C-alpha cells in the first residue's frame, strides 16, 4: 500500500513538472520572439514614408526611371570590361540589352577589329572620336547624328596588362530607349550642344537647345526651365563626365517656382 502511494506521488510530481516545464517553455519562446523582433525586426516597406516635393518631380520620376535604370546598368556593364571582350561577353551584352544596336571594338590605332552585327542598319555618319586623358579609364560618350537618327555610343579603353590596346564602343538609338518609359511621348532627353531626342513629344527643339545648359549645370543638377510659354522639369544624369538631361512638361509650374530658369 505504501509502495502504491509512493508511485502515485511520483506520478503526480512528474505531471506537475511537465506542466511547469511546458509553461516555462511557452514563456521563454514568447520572450525570445519579442526580443528577436526588437533586435532583428522583420523587414517591411513603408510606401508612405517618402513623398515627392512636387507633382512635377513625381511625373518626371515615373517617366524617366524605367529608362535610366537600364541605361545605368549598361554603363556599369561596359565600365567593368577593361580587357579585350570575348564572344561570351558580347553575347551576354546583347541578350541583356536587346535595344543595343551595335558593338565596336578597335585596336590602339582605331581600326575596327570586331563589330556586331557585322552589317548594321545604320552606317556611321562621321568618324567616332573618343577624346580622353591618358590613363583615364572612365566612360566616354560620342553621339553620331546620322540621316536615320542619333546613335549614342558609350565607350571605354581596354588594356593588356597596363598597356592601352583599344576602345570598346556600344551604340544605341536613344529614342529606342525612350520606348521603355510608360509614356514615351511625354519624356525627352536633351543632349546639350547636340540634339533633343523624343518619341513624338511636342517640343521646340531649337529653343530647348538654346538654353545655356553648360552654365546651368555648373551649379544645378535639377530644376525647371521656361521656354516660350512652356515649363519643363528636368534632371541631369551623367555617363562618365558627359551629361544628358531628362525633361518633361511641368504639371504645375508654381510648385517649383523657386527653381525657375526663364529663357
Amino acid at each position: 500500500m505504501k509502495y502504491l502511494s509512493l508511485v502515485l506521488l511520483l506520478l503526480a510530481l512528474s505531471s506537475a513538472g511537465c506542466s511547469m516545464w511546458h509553461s516555462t517553455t511557452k514563456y521563454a519562446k514568447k520572450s525570445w520572439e519579442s526580443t528577436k523582433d526588437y533586435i532583428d525586426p522583420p523587414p517591411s516597406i513603408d510606401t508612405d514614408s517618402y513623398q515627392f516635393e512636387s507633382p512635377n518631380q513625381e511625373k518626371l520620376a515615373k517617366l524617366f526611371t524605367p529608362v535610366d535604370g537600364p541605361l545605368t546598368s549598361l554603363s556599369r556593364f561596359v565600365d567593368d570590361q577593361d580587357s579585350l571582350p570575348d564572344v561570351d561577353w558580347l553575347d551576354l551584352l546583347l541578350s541583356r540589352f536587346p535595344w543595343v544596336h551595335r558593338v565596336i571594338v578597335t585596336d590602339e590605332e582605331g581600326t575596327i577589329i570586331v563589330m556586331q552585327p557585322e552589317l548594321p542598319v545604320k552606317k556611321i555618319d562621321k568618324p567616332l572620336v573618343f577624346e580622353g586623358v591618358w590613363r583615364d579609364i572612365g566612360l566616354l560618350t560620342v553621339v553620331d547624328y546620322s540621316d536615320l537618327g542619333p546613335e549614342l555610343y558609350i565607350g571605354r579603353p581596354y588594356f593588356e596588362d597596363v598597356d592601352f590596346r583599344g576602345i570598346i564602343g556600344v551604340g544605341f538609338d536613344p529614342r529606342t530607349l525612350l520606348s521603355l518609359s510608360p509614356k514615351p511621348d511625354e519624356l525627352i532627353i536633351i543632349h546639350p550642344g547636340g540634339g533633343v531626342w523624343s518619341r513624338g513629344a511636342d517640343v521646340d527643339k531649337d529653343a530647348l537647345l538654346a538654353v545655356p545648359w553648360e552654365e546651368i549645370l555648373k551649379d544645378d543638377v535639377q530644376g525647371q526651365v521656361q521656354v516660350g510659354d512652356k515649363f519643363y522639369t528636368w534632371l541631369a544624369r551623367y555617363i562618365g563626365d558627359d551629361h544628358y538631361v531628362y525633361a518633361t512638361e511641368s504639371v504645375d509650374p508654381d510648385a517649383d517656382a523657386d527653381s525657375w530658369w526663364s529663357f
Side-chain angles (χ1 to χ4, degrees):
M1 189 68 173
K2 291 181 179 180
Y3 178 78
L4 179 60
S5 299
L6 181 60
V7 172
L8 291 175
L9 178 61
L10 289 174
L11 288 175
L13 289 174
S14 175
S15 176
C18 288
S19 177
M20 290 176 62
W21 173 252
H22 182 66
S23 300
T24 303
T25 302
K26 288 177 62 178
Y27 175 79
K29 180 180 180 183
K30 184 176 181 180
S31 176
W32 164 246
E33 289 175 347
S34 300
T35 304
K36 183 177 182 295
D37 289 344
Y38 178 77
I39 297 174
D40 185 18
S44 62
I45 298 176
D46 183 2
T47 57
D48 297 323
S49 63
Y50 180 82
Q51 299 292 332
F52 286 97
E53 295 181 3
S54 79
N56 303 323
Q57 296 170 356
E58 182 175 4
K59 177 188 177 184
L60 180 59
K62 290 179 178 178
L63 292 177
F64 94 87
T65 299
V67 175
D68 190 61
L71 178 56
T72 300
S73 295
L74 174 64
S75 299
R76 291 173 178 168
F77 189 90
V78 176
D79 196 27
D80 287 342
Q81 186 64 31
D82 61 356
S83 59
L84 178 65
D86 56 20
V87 174
D88 290 339
W89 185 88
L90 292 171
D91 289 344
L92 181 59
L93 182 145
L94 294 173
S95 64
R96 285 186 59 182
F97 309 102
W99 36 271
V100 165
H101 292 173
R102 184 181 351 224
V103 181
I104 295 173
V105 181
T106 76
D107 61 15
E108 60 267 34
E109 301 298 329
T111 303
I112 295 176
I113 57 176
V114 176
M115 184 163 67
Q116 290 286 350
E118 295 182 0
L119 296 175
V121 175
K122 287 183 183 178
K123 293 183 178 180
I124 298 175
D125 189 59
K126 296 180 180 179
L128 303 179
V129 180
F130 286 90
E131 297 181 355
V133 179
W134 174 246
R135 294 193 180 280
D136 184 351
I137 60 173
L139 289 176
L140 307 167
T141 65
V142 173
V143 181
D144 181 38
Y145 286 97
S146 69
D147 293 337
L148 296 178
E151 191 83 358
L152 172 60
Y153 288 88
I154 298 176
R156 67 150 297 154
Y158 70 90
F159 303 84
E160 182 179 345
D161 296 327
V162 295
D163 298 322
F164 170 76
R165 284 292 180 258
I167 292 285
I168 304 168
V170 178
F172 59 93
D173 190 325
R175 298 171 302 177
T176 301
L177 192 59
L178 282 170
S179 65
L180 301 176
S181 174
K183 295 182 179 179
D185 59 339
E186 295 185 16
L187 180 66
I188 59 177
I189 300 177
I190 303 165
H191 174 210
V196 176
W197 309 326
S198 72
R199 291 293 298 267
D202 182 17
V203 296
D204 186 337
K205 295 184 178 181
D206 292 335
L208 280 172
L209 282 177
V211 173
W213 290 109
E214 296 291 341
E215 189 67 27
I216 293 174
L217 292 171
K218 289 180 181 179
D219 299 315
D220 298 301
V221 294
Q222 65 178 0
Q224 182 174 234
V225 295
Q226 180 181 3
V227 179
D229 60 352
K230 292 185 177 182
F231 293 84
Y232 294 92
T233 299
W234 62 271
L235 174 71
R237 301 292 276 177
Y238 287 79
I239 304 176
D241 293 330
D242 302 324
H243 45 250
Y244 297 86
V245 179
Y246 292 103
T248 188
E249 191 168 350
S250 298
V251 177
D252 179 10
D254 293 333
D256 296 318
D258 293 340
S259 61
W260 278 2
W261 293 79
S262 182
F263 303 96

